[in-house]
């Protein structure tokens, strides 16, 4: 059984709508799923306070993400709203704290994919996804993009090869059916790649991992 962790932050519910669809898709595909939200920051930027408060109430029972959720997973999907062309600060804050599991190689070879929601057609969805790809490279993860060949990506509301992106136009919970179809495809593709890695990847004896002595210089408990 493939393990999938869905890490997200959402401001007005659009990213969370994609997360819910991804979780449902993965469960129906036979995966074990953890849905985890990034920890809130002391002074978050909020444009739509009623929608933000409603979402917080709706996700009150969703556990806060921990490093163990990444280590447990074979596949990781990260969803974020766009913040000035970048992932949400809550997501970046969590990623900034992944060193204790990333540096020892515990996130290597995991299938990782990203998706984003922005206010307008060119609000930075692709830029935010690509920014997350930078971090995934440091993890040593296997990035799973949408590509351009799947039929679902040729629907009017889709098309980005990097990952699913929604256009909210500042409206809460406004994800389209096209986008829900796209995140379903992205989830299945990520699970497909993760399954292949789990089944087929074997240790390569010529690849030497960083030594425990070196890890201890970072203050990591190994």
């Amino acid at each position: 059984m493939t393990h999938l962790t869905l890490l997200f932050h959402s401001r007005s519910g659009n990213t969370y709508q994609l997360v819910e669809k991804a979780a449902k898709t993965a469960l129906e595909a036979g995966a074990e799923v953890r849905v985890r939200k990034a920890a809130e920051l002391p002074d978050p930027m909020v444009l739509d306070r009623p929608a933000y408060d409603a979402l917080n109430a709706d996700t009150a029972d969703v556990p806060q993400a921990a490093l163990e959720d990444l280590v447990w997973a074979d596949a990781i999907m990260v969803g974020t709203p766009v913040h000035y062309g970048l992932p949400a600060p809550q997501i970046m804050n969590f990623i900034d704290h992944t060193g204790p599991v990333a540096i020892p190689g515990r996130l290597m070879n995991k299938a990782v994919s990203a998706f984003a929601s922005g206010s307008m057609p060119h609000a930075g969805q692709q830029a935010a996804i690509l920014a997350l790809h930078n971090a995934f490279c440091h993890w040593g993860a296997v990035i799973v993009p949408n590509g351009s060949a799947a039929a679902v990506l040729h629907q009017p509301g889709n098309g980005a090869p990097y990952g699913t992106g929604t256009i909210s136009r500042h409206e809460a919970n406004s994800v389209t059916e096209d986008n829900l179809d796209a995140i379903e495809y992205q989830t299945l593709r990520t699970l497909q790649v993760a399954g292949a890695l789990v089944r087929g990847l074997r240790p390569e004896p010529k690849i030497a991992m960083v030594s425990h002595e070196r890890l201890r210089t970072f203050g990591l408990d190994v």
Side-chain angles (χ1 to χ4, degrees):
M1 179 182 292
T2 303
H3 293 175
L4 169 66
T5 290
L6 284 156
L7 167 68
F8 77 96
H9 176 72
S10 190
R11 291 203 171 111
S12 58
N14 292 293
T15 304
Y16 187 54
Q17 281 187 291
L18 295 177
V19 168
E20 289 184 303
K21 180 63 174 180
K24 181 175 183 293
T25 298
L27 288 170
E28 290 176 349
E32 188 170 344
V33 180
R34 291 185 184 181
V35 176
R36 298 291 187 265
K37 58 187 176 184
E40 188 53 278
L41 298 178
D43 186 23
M45 189 280 292
V46 179
L47 293 175
D48 187 344
R49 175 58 66 178
Y52 202 75
D53 291 343
L55 179 65
N56 283 337
D58 290 342
T59 60
D61 294 334
V62 176
Q64 185 172 299
L67 297 183
E68 194 276 332
D69 295 314
L70 302 184
V71 175
W72 169 85
D74 305 308
I76 301 166
M77 296 181 70
V78 182
T80 181
V82 177
H83 186 88
Y84 292 111
L86 296 168
Q90 292 84 349
I91 292 290
M92 294 310 302
N93 180 62
F94 180 79
I95 288 176
D96 283 345
H97 288 82
T98 59
V101 291
I103 295 173
R106 300 182 72 190
L107 304 182
M108 287 185 68
N109 302 324
K110 295 181 184 291
V112 185
S113 198
F115 52 96
S117 177
S119 59
M120 297 297 173
H122 304 287
Q125 291 91 329
Q126 296 179 23
I129 290 170
L130 291 174
L132 286 169
H133 286 183
N134 291 336
F136 302 161
C137 287
H138 285 263
W139 287 357
V142 177
I143 296 171
V144 183
N146 275 354
S148 300
V152 67
L153 300 177
H154 293 262
Q155 294 177 4
N158 295 325
Y162 311 102
T164 302
T166 75
I167 302 168
S168 71
R169 300 193 184 278
H170 297 292
E171 294 181 10
N173 302 306
S174 60
V175 174
T176 68
E177 287 300 320
D178 283 352
N179 293 154
L180 293 176
D181 290 344
I183 196 65
E184 178 181 51
Y185 156 72
Q186 186 172 351
T187 303
L188 292 174
R189 174 164 160 75
T190 302
L191 293 175
Q192 179 187 41
V193 173
L197 290 169
V198 170
R199 291 190 301 271
L201 197 64
R202 297 291 183 268
E204 168 50 62
K206 292 185 178 180
I207 296 178
M209 302 301 291
V210 62
S211 69
H212 286 184
E213 290 74 15
R214 176 62 175 164
L215 291 174
R216 291 190 184 98
T217 67
F218 294 104
L220 298 176
D221 182 9
V222 294

